[in-house]
Amino acid sequence: MSNYSVRADALLKTFGRRLIFNNLSFEFKKNGIFGIAGANGSGKSTLIKIIAGLISPTRGSIIHTNEGKVIDSEHLHNYIGFVSPYLILYDEFTAWENLSYFAKIRGVKFDEERIKFLFYRFSLQTRKDDYVKAYSSGMKQRLKFIFALMHKPVLLIFDEPTSNLDDEGKAVVYEMIKEEGGKNIVIVASNEKTDISLCPEIIVLENYKE
Ligand SMILES: Nc1ncnc2c1ncn2[C@@H]1O[C@H](COP(=O)(O)OP(=O)(O)OP(=O)(O)O)[C@@H](O)[C@H]1O
Ligand SMILES: [Mg+2]
């Protein structure tokens, strides 16, 4: 089991005069599946980006620790696997080239055996050398999971994990989320009831609007 924790204290986020959420605190430790629910525009993706260190809260703090040591923001990417509609893959590179390129710029390990295994797991093994521009939207979503999992992160952050996936793709993702949640921390933000039903603990953003 991981010895990772994410702790948020009294997060406030505003965009101009619009309040997105206020007084939001939580602690995710060691392992488990944690849900973030709320209507369109309620702030799920915003909270996910704050947790991943991509944007800052207006007030409040978010602290990641591993083995009891606080992680600096510039090292967070070593620990995090991220899937989101905001993640952009390069159309002019093959799937394999995208992964090796991102591994290089993020300074994470490029483990060819693990990546081949992940291409099998997500049923893309025959398409790994195809250009991403030739991928369907569901294939791109599957590739994002390979990208998120390739460096064996201990914190998995998934925004709309099952978007564009067919039933087989959803089943693979649900199985992976359950397996990872047994040893690592998995955060799932979604509008899909079946995605959220995987989560024993759920943050409902409508409860943080004042
Ligand atoms: N960069 C930004 N500047 C201004 N407002 C923003 C910005 N990003 C998000 N917002 C606003 O913050 C609110 C929350 O947006 P967010 O994308 O977090 O919602 P969401 O819960 O992920 O919605 P969805 O279910 O549609 O994905 C919305 O009102 C949105 O317009
Ligand atoms: Mg969103």
Side-chain angles (χ1 to χ4, degrees), residues 118-124 142 145-146 149 172-173 176:
L118 289 169
F119 271 98
Y120 269 95
R121 182 154 199 198
F122 289 94
S123 307
L124 287 176
R142 289 165 188 249
F145 281 102
I146 300 174
L149 294 165
V172 173
V173 166
M176 177 273 291

Side-chain angles (χ1 to χ4, degrees), residues 13-178:
K13 184 67 184 175
T14 56
F15 285 113
R17 294 165 74 181
R18 176 173 285 125
L19 172 70
I20 310 301
F21 43 76
N22 188 20
N23 209 16
L24 175 54
S25 301
F26 56 81
E27 186 168 24
F28 303 150
K29 278 203 264 196
K30 292 189 197 295
N31 74 314
I33 309 170
F34 302 92
I36 300 172
N40 289 147
S42 61
K44 299 181 297 298
S45 297
T46 301
L47 178 56
I48 285 274
K49 288 178 198 166
I50 290 173
I51 294 171
L54 299 172
I55 60 173
S56 298
T58 306
R59 257 192 264 142
S61 67
I62 181 113
I63 294 170
H64 294 245
T65 68
N66 190 43
E67 308 290 347
K69 288 198 199 103
V70 174
I71 303 164
D72 313 327
S73 53
E74 70 261 36
H75 295 121
L76 264 186
H77 57 262
N78 292 321
Y79 300 88
I80 296 180
F82 192 64
V83 170
S84 131
Y86 300 98
L87 184 70
I88 304 295
L89 300 160
Y90 289 105
D91 268 357
E92 306 300 321
F93 287 179
T94 68
W96 189 266
E97 287 166 350
N98 264 279
L99 298 174
S100 72
Y101 175 73
F102 280 114
K104 212 171 275 169
I105 59 169
R106 295 192 307 183
V108 299
K109 192 169 165 212
F110 190 73
D111 178 341
E112 292 203 10
E113 287 311 306
R114 175 162 175 83
I115 292 165
K116 280 187 191 148
F117 159 78
L118 289 169
F119 271 98
Y120 269 95
R121 182 154 199 198
F122 289 94
S123 307
L124 287 176
Q125 69 275 16
T126 62
R127 310 297 297 266
K128 72 178 173 47
D129 297 315
D130 288 10
Y131 287 102
V132 167
K133 69 174 167 227
Y135 266 35
S136 72
S137 52
M139 288 166 64
K140 283 184 190 166
Q141 183 71 1
R142 289 165 188 249
L143 181 56
K144 287 181 183 181
F145 281 102
I146 300 174
F147 169 76
L149 294 165
M150 66 178 174
H151 57 303
K152 294 195 173 171
V154 288
L155 174 60
L156 292 156
I157 306 180
F158 300 146
D159 191 2
E160 299 179 23
T162 55
S163 73
N164 297 312
L165 293 179
D166 59 21
D167 289 344
E168 190 253 48
K170 283 181 189 162
V172 173
V173 166
Y174 290 150
E175 189 194 355
M176 177 273 291
I177 288 176
K178 287 179 200 158

